[in-house]
Amino acid sequence: MPEILLAATGVEAGYASKQILFGVDFTVASGEVVALLGANGSGKSTALNTVSGFVRPWVGSIRLGGVEISGTPAHQIFRRGIIQVSQTRDLFPDMSVEENLRLGAWVRRGDEATLLDGIYGSFPRLAERRRQQVSLMSGGEQQMVAIGRALMGRPELLLLDEPSGGLAPAFVAEIVGIMATLKARGVTMMLVEQNIRLALAVADRFLILRDGRVSQRHDLRGGSVAEEAIVRSIYL
């Protein structure tokens, strides 16, 4: 059995006086891809943000490699290897593709040239546009830059918040291909996704959140689950 990399137990969290998560438990094993599914407002992004440190849990435990990280500042969690690609991508629009990518290696130092070669090998479109200003790129291309920048940080756990959000179908298919390649390389990922078909294409397991609680858990390695059944579980 793969080693458990991340374990969250009894996590409760929210914003100001509004509680969003209620006793949420989940694990992610090394090399595994876990998806969080649910309707808007179900707590999916909040769950990711508690892992990355952008939201401080009120109650509960979050352990990375057996070490408690609950309540640790986000920049320190980043240094430990949890790297998040947010819905807004958080790129520097006036900088070039390559400048944005290089920033990803700034904190968790590595051989920058080798890392860049790896990113350009995985994202040929970015290699072609390495000098282009990011603000002039399409949404799909910007998403590739955001994922590439995260990979420059050599993540132990890659968090992806709505990677297909707002993208044209052609780019969604490309993102699916990229994630499948990362999975084959053993990159550990946890993703929040409204596109159920995308999630089922890459995830080993998925959890459904309803009103801030885990309502269902499924292991796709034991057999497929009908997309229609998932939709009913989320919305009905």
Side-chain angles (χ1 to χ4, degrees), residues 24-214:
V24 170
D25 302 329
F26 54 81
T27 61
V28 184
S30 295
E32 190 176 41
V33 180
V34 176
L36 292 179
L37 306 179
N40 287 334
S42 62
K44 306 183 302 297
S45 293
T46 302
L48 277 197
N49 287 334
T50 60
V51 172
S52 59
F54 291 109
V55 172
R56 187 182 184 95
W58 298 351
V59 176
S61 169
I62 302 175
R63 301 177 72 84
L64 177 68
V67 177
E68 184 65 48
I69 61 170
S70 178
T72 301
H75 69 279
Q76 293 182 17
I77 291 177
F78 180 95
R79 289 180 183 275
R80 291 177 180 268
I82 295 181
I83 301 179
Q84 181 169 348
V85 178
S86 73
Q87 292 183 34
T88 56
R89 305 182 187 118
D90 299 323
L91 298 171
F92 292 89
D94 296 331
M95 297 171 66
S96 71
V97 168
E98 186 157 307
E99 288 170 333
N100 271 275
L101 291 176
R102 287 183 181 276
L103 287 173
W106 183 253
V107 175
R108 286 171 54 83
R109 294 286 191 174
D111 184 335
E112 205 169 276
T114 300
L115 289 169
L116 269 176
D117 286 344
I119 297 303
Y120 288 145
S122 300
F123 302 84
R125 191 190 300 262
L126 300 187
E128 297 168 3
R129 293 164 169 75
R130 66 179 69 193
R131 307 298 178 202
Q132 185 171 344
Q133 188 172 308
V134 165
S135 63
L136 302 178
M137 304 179 82
S138 69
E141 290 168 336
Q142 289 184 17
Q143 185 66 284
M144 292 180 194
V145 176
I147 295 172
R149 184 180 64 181
L151 294 172
M152 287 287 290
R154 300 175 294 114
E156 297 290 332
L157 173 62
L158 179 62
L159 305 179
L160 298 163
D161 196 351
E162 301 281 4
S164 73
L167 302 187
F171 276 112
V172 171
E174 200 159 347
I175 294 296
V176 171
I178 289 166
M179 293 178 65
T181 298
L182 295 177
K183 177 180 178 178
R185 292 177 182 172
V187 177
T188 308
M189 293 180 278
M190 188 169 192
L191 69 140
V192 160
E193 187 51 74
Q194 290 281 3
N195 186 324
I196 296 172
R197 192 164 297 171
L198 182 155
L200 296 181
V202 298
D204 296 303
R205 292 188 295 117
F206 70 87
L207 291 72
I208 295 177
L209 287 179
R210 288 187 68 122
D211 300 322
R213 297 174 172 85
V214 178

